[in-house]
Amino acid sequence: MFINNFGFGLGGQFRKVVGPFSQVTATIDLTGVRDVSEQRFQFFDQQVIPNKYRRVIGAPMLVGFKHRLFPYQIADNFRLYGMVEGGAIMATVIPYFEDFNNNGFRDVQPPHNRLLIEPINDIFEGWKEATIEWGYAGRIKLGVDFGNNFKKLSSVEFGYNFYYFPQGIQMMEPRRPVLNNQGEPVYDEDQVMQTRPFYDSMSFFGTPQISLVFGSFW
């Protein structure tokens, strides 16, 4: 169980002892991935994130190495350790709203009504249009195992996660309408809304993270 700048997440981990103070690990998590500049607003009975284009749910799959630090200087009931992990992340990319005309932004009713007409998908909607993207994942941690009972595991970890998608993911709206001096969309003679580039796709995502770990050895 963990919290970071992307929200809350859950995961599972397998550890195997390979030395007096060392372990190898295998971890799989389920976490959100987002642009940390996003802001959430309440619009009537719905929460809205302006300019958001895609939701992303990530599943990092990592292998790592954990090593206890200062084992002879610090008591066994407070086992300080460092850890590094690396691997892959599978990202499920879901449309944030129904982009009926595929123009890259939430439309307004032309020409003067600013009411948004393309509905936002809730967490259960948009899955038919979902795509899978693969990337690289990494993590560095500093943590503490608590207690003298080595068969029970209670830990707290402080770390930094990073994900890299070589192909990039379009998290925010790639285009926006051109507006006139009155703040209204500009249309061509054939009533096609003029647009301009807005946000670029993102390849790198990073966040600090705090984790609570509970488990047991057998």
Side-chain angles (χ1 to χ4, degrees):
M1 177 172 62
F2 55 84
I3 184 172
N4 55 37
N5 285 342
F6 304 147
F8 291 93
L10 294 172
Q13 186 177 88
F14 173 80
R15 300 180 180 181
K16 180 176 177 58
V17 176
V18 294
F21 305 111
S22 301
Q23 300 172 4
V24 293
T25 64
T27 306
I28 183 168
D29 291 336
L30 189 65
T31 179
V33 181
R34 67 182 184 91
D35 184 337
V36 295
S37 67
E38 295 175 9
Q39 293 183 320
R40 191 182 303 269
F41 297 93
Q42 192 74 27
F43 185 75
F44 295 106
D45 62 342
Q46 187 177 42
Q47 288 187 338
V48 177
I49 303 174
N51 307 130
K52 189 172 181 64
Y53 193 61
R54 294 283 189 263
R55 280 192 178 99
V56 176
I57 299 174
M61 294 164 281
L62 309 169
V63 293
F65 180 77
K66 172 188 172 184
H67 186 73
R68 184 176 171 184
L69 305 176
F70 311 112
Y72 301 109
Q73 289 78 20
I74 301 177
D76 284 344
N77 62 355
F78 190 87
R79 301 183 295 279
L80 181 68
Y81 63 86
M83 189 172 176
V84 294
E85 295 178 289
I89 178 172
M90 183 184 74
T92 303
V93 183
I94 308 165
Y96 180 66
F97 61 91
E98 291 288 344
D99 192 5
F100 294 128
N101 55 8
N102 296 312
N103 61 1
F105 62 91
R106 293 186 70 200
D107 275 296
V108 298
Q109 293 178 344
H112 303 299
N113 190 339
R114 298 304 304 276
L115 179 64
L116 295 171
I117 60 172
E118 293 182 323
I120 293 175
N121 294 322
D122 63 31
I123 192 61
F124 302 106
E125 297 174 323
W127 288 86
K128 290 183 179 180
E129 293 80 35
T131 60
I132 300 296
E133 303 289 350
W134 288 90
Y136 304 100
R139 183 179 298 162
I140 55 174
K141 297 178 184 178
L142 187 66
V144 177
D145 290 332
F146 296 100
N148 289 317
N149 186 350
F150 282 65
K151 288 185 174 295
K152 297 293 183 180
L153 183 65
S154 299
S155 309
V156 60
E157 299 176 339
F158 302 90
Y160 184 81
N161 293 359
F162 51 91
Y163 312 127
Y164 178 74
F165 298 90
Q167 71 283 358
I169 297 178
Q170 191 67 52
M171 302 293 292
M172 308 298 283
E173 292 177 333
R175 304 197 66 81
R176 289 298 295 165
V178 175
L179 304 179
N180 60 23
N181 293 334
Q182 287 73 44
E184 300 169 337
V186 176
Y187 290 83
D188 295 327
E189 293 182 0
D190 55 0
Q191 288 298 295
V192 175
M193 186 183 296
Q194 296 183 18
T195 63
R196 59 180 175 83
F198 199 40
Y199 283 94
D200 295 328
S201 62
M202 298 179 63
S203 293
F204 182 83
F205 301 84
T207 176
Q209 178 169 294
I210 301 175
S211 305
L212 297 177
V213 183
F214 304 98
S216 61
F217 289 95
W218 66 87

